[in-house]
Each structure stands twice: as C-alpha cells, then as structure tokens.
Amino acid sequence: MNHSQPALMGLARLMRMAFEGFSLMPLAETLKARAEKDPRDANALMDLSTALQLHGLRDAGLATLSLALQTQQIYELPAQQGPSIRLLAIMAPGDLMANAPLPFLVENSDISLTMLYLLPGAPLPSRLPEHDLAFIAMADTSQTHALLEQLALQVPAWPHPVLIHPEGIFRTSRENAYTLLQDAAGVYMPPTAHATRQKLEALCRGEYELSDLLPGGAFALIIRPLDSHAGHGLEKVDDIAALAQYLSASAESDFFIASFVDYRSPDGLYRKYRVVLIDGVPFAGHMGVSAHWMIHYLNAGMVESAAKRAEEEAFMRDFDEEFAPRHALGLRSVFERFGLEYLVIDCAETRSGKLFVFEVDPGAVVHSMDPPDLFPYKVPAMQKVFAAFRAMLLRSAATAPKQS
C-alpha cells in the first residue's frame, strides 16, 4: 500500500455530500487530476469511482474502480479514536450495492475499517492485513458467487473470528429467502422464483403455465432483473400482455418474479419499514409512507410531508414497545432461518397482521445522513443501531473461537 497518498474519503463521507446536495463533479475533477499526477494514488481512484457512481455515472465509476484495484486491493478508514477494534471487511468489485456499506456503521467511531477487495480468480493475499475480526461484506449476486464459494472453503482456517459467513449470504437471494420463509411462523413472503428470459417468453407464447415457473403464483406479478436493487427495472405486470411488453423493453436475460401483494393500509397508503437485526435484536432503520406500492425512502415524499415524518417518528420512538413486540414471532423466525449476526429486512405488514418480507440483505444502507432539523428523531434511533453494531463486534472479537 502507498502510505504517502492522501487519506481515503470513503463512501459515507462522499454519500453524505451528495445527500446534502453538493455536486461531486468538481471533486471528481480534483481526484482525476490527483490520479493522473500519481498513478499509484489508489485512494484518489477509489474515491473517484464512488463519486462517479453517486453522480449516476455507473459505467465510468466501475471502470475507475477496476483501475483502483489494479493498483491496490486494500483501503483504510482509520478510527477517529482508539481503535478499540480493527475490523477487516472482505469485499468484491462491483457497484455501490455490491458490498455492505460498513463505513456508515463505523463512521466517527473507535473502530478502524480495513477493506480488502478480492479479485475473481485470484487467491487471497498471502498475508492478510492486521485485524481483530473479519466481516464478509459481499452481497449475494451472480458476480459474487465464485468469490463467496472460495471464501466458504477458507473461513474455517481464518486466523480470527469471521462474521457473516458465505453460507448465510447465499440464503439471502430472493428465491432462497422465499424457500426459507414460506412456512416461517409470523412471516409472509409471496411465491418468488428465478426465471430466464427464454422461459418467460415461452410463457407469453402459451408454452408454459405460470405455475410451471412460479408454483403457487398468480398475476399480477412483480418482475425485476436478477441482480437489481433499489427498484431498478422493477415493475408490476398485470397479465401476459404486460409481461410481454416488459420483456420487449428489457435487455436482461434473467429475472426474479413474485406474486404482487396489495399491502395497502386501510387509509389507502403503503407503508414500508427497514428493520436491522443485530445478533437477533431488532432495531428501527426507517419507515416510508407512499400512495404508490413501490416505496423507496427517497421517493416517498418524507421531506415534503410533516405528517409522514410524524408517523415515522412514532414508529422509531415506539419501536421497542409497538412494532418489535407485535412482530416478535416473525422477526425471531427470520433470525433463526438465516442465522446471520447482522441482517437488514425491508418489510411491511399484511392485512392479517403478519410481517410481510420484501427482502433480506446484510448489504442494505443504514445511515444517519438525514438533516437533523427535519428528522431530529433519527439521530437517537441510529445511534442505537451503531452502538449495538459496535457492541456486537467487540463481543464477537472477544468471545468467538479463534483459529490457529
């Protein structure tokens, strides 16, 4: 590693700038100039990659990431004080959704974060960075499968405790999650399956029944490309004609399909919750309220609506007395079925009162970037999450068996 290069800014700092409305392009030009002046300045390339992706220039950002990883595979975010623990994140090349955004969870703390990027087809470094605890931060995608399979063989001989084992990450794919949760107490997840373009087009031609591709499924369907997140390519198709139209407008070859569930509350609005499980204990992440079924926090109009913010405030403030006990059975089922020390759940409530699980993912963003003047209730709620995450790391490093 080139220790003479300027420090890494990192994902949390850059995303906070973007979230607050600053244009990252002047900074991107500065980072580009730094990298051109010193091709060994991998931190400049890594921050440039992040800035480009946050600006919506995904392909340029990924090309820059490739250059960064050719130069250096290890990146450091030092602790603000201490450190009390040295955390090693095992990461994969990819966009901003490819790895758990750990910089948010350890920001301004006494935890130092070292990020080691593994390259497809390449072995682990012969010498690992110094650390007390490793955290496999890769999300489950078709691009990370080979790396996760490689890690599954290496984890048993790891010299220090490891959190988030590959076997658990594999369970979080949408199809595997449905298989695990379809009969779980207190939980509802609609029938979900992986379907190729070829089979879906054959379905549209009448060569298959929907039940052949999605046992127990029925129109309307939710369809999305295989590795998509944050609503990219996600649509509701009400019938065969709409499915055919969706496929004609998409270039993807593989998709997830699931039965659509109308989860509107009696007032006609949809409510989506993000819940964080840390060693099985649930914490409030955020809540979105929208008139549209496809809710993402940034498009739910939370900034514009004091009423929605008041509802989210009540959700977060009363979480331990209201939502968590109401769904204690379902949340416990999720923890027991996935067996992951850290897991983020995007969910709603069915009309019959079950925990309606959309997605489980250790890589979903949990942050404290919202402006405190509009969201004063979020700071204490997020501090609870960050404190619990820190306590889990310290507990795991101190008590987990260490391999020699």
Side-chain angles (χ1 to χ4, degrees), residues 169-198:
I169 298 172
F170 284 133
R171 294 185 200 115
T172 65
S173 77
R174 298 180 193 277
E175 187 174 30
N176 289 340
Y178 168 66
T179 300
L180 279 175
L181 294 177
Q182 60 180 321
D183 62 350
V187 173
Y188 177 74
M189 191 170 185
T192 303
H194 172 201
T196 64
R197 168 179 288 277
Q198 182 180 16

Short mmCIF file of all heavy atoms in Angstrom, two decimals, residues 169-198:
data_model
loop_
_atom_site.label_atom_id
_atom_site.label_comp_id
_atom_site.label_asym_id
_atom_site.label_seq_id
_atom_site.Cartn_x
_atom_site.Cartn_y
_atom_site.Cartn_z
N ILE A 169 -24.94 -15.74 3.48
CA ILE A 169 -25.16 -14.77 2.41
C ILE A 169 -25.91 -15.41 1.25
O ILE A 169 -26.83 -14.82 0.67
CB ILE A 169 -23.82 -14.17 1.94
CG1 ILE A 169 -23.15 -13.42 3.09
CG2 ILE A 169 -24.03 -13.23 0.75
CD1 ILE A 169 -21.74 -12.96 2.80
N PHE A 170 -25.56 -16.65 0.90
CA PHE A 170 -26.27 -17.35 -0.18
C PHE A 170 -27.76 -17.48 0.14
O PHE A 170 -28.60 -17.45 -0.75
CB PHE A 170 -25.67 -18.74 -0.39
CG PHE A 170 -24.37 -18.76 -1.13
CD1 PHE A 170 -23.30 -19.52 -0.67
CD2 PHE A 170 -24.20 -18.02 -2.29
CE1 PHE A 170 -22.10 -19.55 -1.35
CE2 PHE A 170 -23.00 -18.04 -2.98
CZ PHE A 170 -21.94 -18.81 -2.51
N ARG A 171 -28.10 -17.62 1.41
CA ARG A 171 -29.52 -17.79 1.78
C ARG A 171 -30.34 -16.55 1.48
O ARG A 171 -31.56 -16.61 1.41
CB ARG A 171 -29.63 -18.12 3.28
CG ARG A 171 -29.04 -19.45 3.68
CD ARG A 171 -29.31 -19.75 5.15
NE ARG A 171 -28.38 -20.76 5.62
CZ ARG A 171 -27.45 -20.57 6.56
NH1 ARG A 171 -27.34 -19.39 7.14
NH2 ARG A 171 -26.64 -21.54 6.92
N THR A 172 -29.69 -15.38 1.33
CA THR A 172 -30.44 -14.13 1.21
C THR A 172 -30.91 -13.82 -0.21
O THR A 172 -31.58 -12.81 -0.41
CB THR A 172 -29.61 -12.93 1.73
OG1 THR A 172 -28.45 -12.75 0.90
CG2 THR A 172 -29.18 -13.15 3.17
N SER A 173 -30.56 -14.64 -1.20
CA SER A 173 -31.11 -14.38 -2.54
C SER A 173 -32.63 -14.44 -2.45
O SER A 173 -33.20 -15.12 -1.59
CB SER A 173 -30.61 -15.41 -3.54
OG SER A 173 -31.30 -16.64 -3.41
N ARG A 174 -33.30 -13.73 -3.33
CA ARG A 174 -34.76 -13.65 -3.24
C ARG A 174 -35.41 -15.03 -3.29
O ARG A 174 -36.36 -15.32 -2.55
CB ARG A 174 -35.30 -12.75 -4.35
CG ARG A 174 -34.79 -11.31 -4.25
CD ARG A 174 -35.34 -10.44 -5.37
NE ARG A 174 -34.62 -9.18 -5.45
CZ ARG A 174 -34.86 -8.12 -4.69
NH1 ARG A 174 -35.83 -8.17 -3.80
NH2 ARG A 174 -34.15 -7.01 -4.83
N GLU A 175 -34.92 -15.88 -4.17
CA GLU A 175 -35.51 -17.20 -4.31
C GLU A 175 -35.23 -18.05 -3.07
O GLU A 175 -36.13 -18.72 -2.54
CB GLU A 175 -34.94 -17.88 -5.56
CG GLU A 175 -35.60 -19.20 -5.91
CD GLU A 175 -35.08 -19.75 -7.23
OE1 GLU A 175 -33.90 -19.47 -7.57
OE2 GLU A 175 -35.83 -20.43 -7.92
N ASN A 176 -33.99 -18.03 -2.58
CA ASN A 176 -33.66 -18.80 -1.39
C ASN A 176 -34.38 -18.27 -0.16
O ASN A 176 -34.79 -19.04 0.71
CB ASN A 176 -32.15 -18.79 -1.15
CG ASN A 176 -31.40 -19.61 -2.18
OD1 ASN A 176 -31.97 -20.47 -2.84
ND2 ASN A 176 -30.12 -19.34 -2.33
N ALA A 177 -34.53 -16.93 -0.09
CA ALA A 177 -35.24 -16.35 1.04
C ALA A 177 -36.68 -16.84 1.09
O ALA A 177 -37.22 -17.17 2.16
CB ALA A 177 -35.19 -14.83 0.97
N TYR A 178 -37.34 -16.91 -0.08
CA TYR A 178 -38.71 -17.41 -0.11
C TYR A 178 -38.76 -18.87 0.35
O TYR A 178 -39.64 -19.25 1.15
CB TYR A 178 -39.30 -17.29 -1.51
CG TYR A 178 -40.59 -18.06 -1.66
CD1 TYR A 178 -41.73 -17.67 -0.95
CD2 TYR A 178 -40.65 -19.20 -2.45
CE1 TYR A 178 -42.91 -18.40 -1.04
CE2 TYR A 178 -41.82 -19.93 -2.55
CZ TYR A 178 -42.95 -19.53 -1.84
OH TYR A 178 -44.11 -20.24 -1.93
N THR A 179 -37.82 -19.68 -0.12
CA THR A 179 -37.80 -21.08 0.29
C THR A 179 -37.66 -21.21 1.80
O THR A 179 -38.33 -22.04 2.43
CB THR A 179 -36.63 -21.81 -0.41
OG1 THR A 179 -36.80 -21.72 -1.83
CG2 THR A 179 -36.58 -23.27 0.00
N LEU A 180 -36.82 -20.36 2.39
CA LEU A 180 -36.61 -20.41 3.84
C LEU A 180 -37.82 -19.90 4.62
O LEU A 180 -38.12 -20.40 5.71
CB LEU A 180 -35.39 -19.58 4.22
CG LEU A 180 -34.01 -20.21 4.03
CD1 LEU A 180 -32.93 -19.19 4.34
CD2 LEU A 180 -33.84 -21.44 4.91
N LEU A 181 -38.50 -18.89 4.10
CA LEU A 181 -39.53 -18.20 4.88
C LEU A 181 -40.95 -18.62 4.55
O LEU A 181 -41.89 -18.16 5.22
CB LEU A 181 -39.39 -16.69 4.68
CG LEU A 181 -38.11 -16.06 5.23
CD1 LEU A 181 -38.07 -14.56 4.91
CD2 LEU A 181 -37.97 -16.28 6.73
N GLN A 182 -41.16 -19.46 3.54
CA GLN A 182 -42.52 -19.72 3.09
C GLN A 182 -43.39 -20.35 4.18
O GLN A 182 -44.62 -20.18 4.17
CB GLN A 182 -42.51 -20.60 1.84
CG GLN A 182 -41.86 -21.96 2.03
CD GLN A 182 -41.88 -22.78 0.74
OE1 GLN A 182 -42.87 -22.75 0.00
NE2 GLN A 182 -40.81 -23.49 0.45
N ASP A 183 -42.77 -21.07 5.12
CA ASP A 183 -43.57 -21.66 6.20
C ASP A 183 -43.15 -21.14 7.57
O ASP A 183 -43.47 -21.74 8.59
CB ASP A 183 -43.46 -23.18 6.17
CG ASP A 183 -42.02 -23.67 6.40
OD1 ASP A 183 -41.09 -22.83 6.39
OD2 ASP A 183 -41.83 -24.88 6.59
N ALA A 184 -42.45 -20.00 7.61
CA ALA A 184 -41.95 -19.46 8.87
C ALA A 184 -43.09 -18.82 9.67
O ALA A 184 -43.93 -18.11 9.13
CB ALA A 184 -40.85 -18.44 8.62
N ALA A 185 -43.09 -19.05 10.96
CA ALA A 185 -44.13 -18.51 11.83
C ALA A 185 -44.07 -16.99 11.86
O ALA A 185 -42.99 -16.40 12.00
CB ALA A 185 -43.96 -19.06 13.24
N GLY A 186 -45.23 -16.36 11.71
CA GLY A 186 -45.33 -14.91 11.82
C GLY A 186 -44.88 -14.14 10.60
O GLY A 186 -44.85 -12.91 10.63
N VAL A 187 -44.51 -14.84 9.52
CA VAL A 187 -43.91 -14.20 8.34
C VAL A 187 -44.73 -14.54 7.11
O VAL A 187 -45.23 -15.67 6.96
CB VAL A 187 -42.46 -14.67 8.14
CG1 VAL A 187 -41.88 -14.14 6.83
CG2 VAL A 187 -41.59 -14.23 9.30
N TYR A 188 -44.84 -13.57 6.20
CA TYR A 188 -45.37 -13.86 4.86
C TYR A 188 -44.39 -13.34 3.82
O TYR A 188 -43.91 -12.20 3.92
CB TYR A 188 -46.73 -13.20 4.62
CG TYR A 188 -47.22 -13.44 3.21
CD1 TYR A 188 -47.68 -14.69 2.84
CD2 TYR A 188 -47.13 -12.45 2.24
CE1 TYR A 188 -48.09 -14.94 1.53
CE2 TYR A 188 -47.54 -12.69 0.93
CZ TYR A 188 -48.01 -13.95 0.59
OH TYR A 188 -48.38 -14.19 -0.70
N MET A 189 -44.05 -14.20 2.86
CA MET A 189 -43.28 -13.79 1.69
C MET A 189 -43.94 -14.44 0.49
O MET A 189 -44.16 -15.66 0.49
CB MET A 189 -41.82 -14.21 1.81
CG MET A 189 -40.92 -13.58 0.75
SD MET A 189 -39.15 -13.87 1.10
CE MET A 189 -38.43 -12.87 -0.25
N PRO A 190 -44.30 -13.68 -0.54
CA PRO A 190 -45.03 -14.26 -1.67
C PRO A 190 -44.16 -15.21 -2.48
O PRO A 190 -42.93 -15.13 -2.45
CB PRO A 190 -45.42 -13.03 -2.50
CG PRO A 190 -44.42 -12.00 -2.14
CD PRO A 190 -44.06 -12.24 -0.71
N PRO A 191 -44.78 -16.15 -3.21
CA PRO A 191 -44.01 -17.04 -4.07
C PRO A 191 -43.04 -16.26 -4.96
O PRO A 191 -43.43 -15.27 -5.60
CB PRO A 191 -45.09 -17.75 -4.89
CG PRO A 191 -46.30 -17.73 -4.01
CD PRO A 191 -46.22 -16.43 -3.27
N THR A 192 -41.80 -16.69 -4.98
CA THR A 192 -40.73 -15.99 -5.68
C THR A 192 -39.86 -17.02 -6.40
O THR A 192 -39.56 -18.07 -5.83
CB THR A 192 -39.86 -15.18 -4.69
OG1 THR A 192 -40.70 -14.29 -3.96
CG2 THR A 192 -38.78 -14.40 -5.41
N ALA A 193 -39.46 -16.72 -7.63
CA ALA A 193 -38.64 -17.67 -8.38
C ALA A 193 -37.74 -16.93 -9.36
O ALA A 193 -38.03 -15.81 -9.80
CB ALA A 193 -39.52 -18.66 -9.14
N HIS A 194 -36.64 -17.59 -9.70
CA HIS A 194 -35.73 -17.14 -10.76
C HIS A 194 -36.27 -17.67 -12.08
O HIS A 194 -36.60 -18.85 -12.20
CB HIS A 194 -34.33 -17.69 -10.48
CG HIS A 194 -33.35 -17.46 -11.57
ND1 HIS A 194 -32.20 -18.22 -11.72
CD2 HIS A 194 -33.32 -16.57 -12.60
CE1 HIS A 194 -31.52 -17.80 -12.76
NE2 HIS A 194 -32.18 -16.81 -13.32
N ALA A 195 -36.40 -16.81 -13.07
CA ALA A 195 -36.92 -17.21 -14.38
C ALA A 195 -36.06 -16.62 -15.48
O ALA A 195 -35.71 -15.44 -15.43
CB ALA A 195 -38.37 -16.76 -14.55
N THR A 196 -35.71 -17.42 -16.46
CA THR A 196 -34.92 -16.93 -17.59
C THR A 196 -35.82 -16.22 -18.59
O THR A 196 -37.04 -16.45 -18.63
CB THR A 196 -34.22 -18.09 -18.30
OG1 THR A 196 -35.22 -18.97 -18.86
CG2 THR A 196 -33.33 -18.88 -17.34
N ARG A 197 -35.23 -15.37 -19.39
CA ARG A 197 -35.98 -14.71 -20.46
C ARG A 197 -36.62 -15.75 -21.37
O ARG A 197 -37.79 -15.60 -21.78
CB ARG A 197 -35.04 -13.82 -21.26
CG ARG A 197 -35.66 -13.30 -22.58
CD ARG A 197 -34.71 -12.40 -23.34
NE ARG A 197 -34.58 -11.12 -22.65
CZ ARG A 197 -35.44 -10.11 -22.77
NH1 ARG A 197 -36.51 -10.22 -23.56
NH2 ARG A 197 -35.25 -8.99 -22.12
N GLN A 198 -35.86 -16.81 -21.69
CA GLN A 198 -36.37 -17.83 -22.60
C GLN A 198 -37.67 -18.44 -22.08
O GLN A 198 -38.65 -18.59 -22.82
CB GLN A 198 -35.31 -18.93 -22.77
CG GLN A 198 -35.69 -20.04 -23.73
CD GLN A 198 -34.59 -21.09 -23.84
OE1 GLN A 198 -33.70 -21.16 -23.01
NE2 GLN A 198 -34.66 -21.91 -24.87
#
